[in-house]
């Protein structure tokens, strides 16, 4: 499958999980620190899972806005996506990621939110890159959130739309 690349960026990491990473254009420069849960000191700094979570959440909102621009339901200004990324050993060996996406679409009717999230999951570059490789699933929601799972093409890739004001 080919991609008509419209934008590229490059980042360089040194020192691994306890080093640093920066984009070559200087727009992003972060100190990296290994979490205690992975045997590190857990000091000041970010880790690759935090960066992935932030990128996926932001990109998914962009995907929902794209779907809306193509005739889908309007994405409210206060829409949010919380991406929770976990890392651990895989049963097949090596390490893998686990992702939960919680989508909040205040004021959007449930059926519209479900359709918007399902379509966004089909166009989001992060969803397309991870489909079949990472288990993307609904988050557990606290009281006050209505959970509506939107099943997508890959049976393992499920995202929850959690519109708040319903």
């Amino acid at each position: 499958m080919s991609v008509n690349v419209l934008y590229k960026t490059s980042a360089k990491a040194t020192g691994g999980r306890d080093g640093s990473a920066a984009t070559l254009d200087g727009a992003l420069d972060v100190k990296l620190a290994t979490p205690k849960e992975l045997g590190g000191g857990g000091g000041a700094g970010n880790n690759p899972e935090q960066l992935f979570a932030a990128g996926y959440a932001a990109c998914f909102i962009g995907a929902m806005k794209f779907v809306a621009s193509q005739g889908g339901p309007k994405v409210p200004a206060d829409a949010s996506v919380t991406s929770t990324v976990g890392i651990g050993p895989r049963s097949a060996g090596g390490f893998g990621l686990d992702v939960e996406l919680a989508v909040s679409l205040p004021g959007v009717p449930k059926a519209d939110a479900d359709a918007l999230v399902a379509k966004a999951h089909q166009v989001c570059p992060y969803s397309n890159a991870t489909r079949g490789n990472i288990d993307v699933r609904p988050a557990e929601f606290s009281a006050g959130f209505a959970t509506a799972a939107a099943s997508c093409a890959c049976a393992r890739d499920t995202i929850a739309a959690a519109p708040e004001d319903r």
Side-chain angles (χ1 to χ4, degrees):
M1 174 172 86
S2 65
V3 174
N4 177 19
V5 177
L6 301 175
Y7 170 78
K8 283 186 181 184
T9 189
S10 298
K12 181 178 179 180
T14 56
R17 287 183 164 272
D18 288 308
S20 63
T23 54
L24 298 186
D25 65 5
L28 175 72
D29 190 348
V30 295
K31 178 183 178 339
L32 301 173
T34 303
K36 288 181 182 180
E37 296 85 349
L38 296 179
N46 297 102
N47 61 62
E49 293 72 37
Q50 290 171 324
L51 299 172
F52 187 86
Y56 203 156
C59 192
F60 202 83
I61 291 173
M64 290 191 301
K65 289 180 177 180
F66 173 79
V67 170
S69 77
Q70 303 297 303
K74 185 174 186 286
V75 176
D78 57 348
S80 67
V81 174
T82 301
S83 174
T84 303
V85 175
I87 184 173
R90 294 174 355 127
S91 59
F95 291 86
L97 298 176
D98 179 80
V99 176
E100 293 178 352
L101 292 179
V103 178
S104 175
L105 297 164
V108 177
K110 180 184 179 314
D112 291 346
D114 289 347
L116 178 64
V117 167
K119 288 176 184 173
H121 189 47
Q122 296 306 307
V123 300
C124 176
Y126 276 71
S127 294
N128 286 331
T130 60
R131 188 170 289 111
N133 297 312
I134 296 175
D135 191 19
V136 178
R137 58 190 168 71
E140 294 296 321
F141 297 103
S142 61
F145 283 94
T147 304
S151 296
C152 300
C154 178
R156 290 180 13 181
D157 292 342
T158 307
I159 299 177
E164 294 174 313
D165 299 330
R166 296 194 213 168

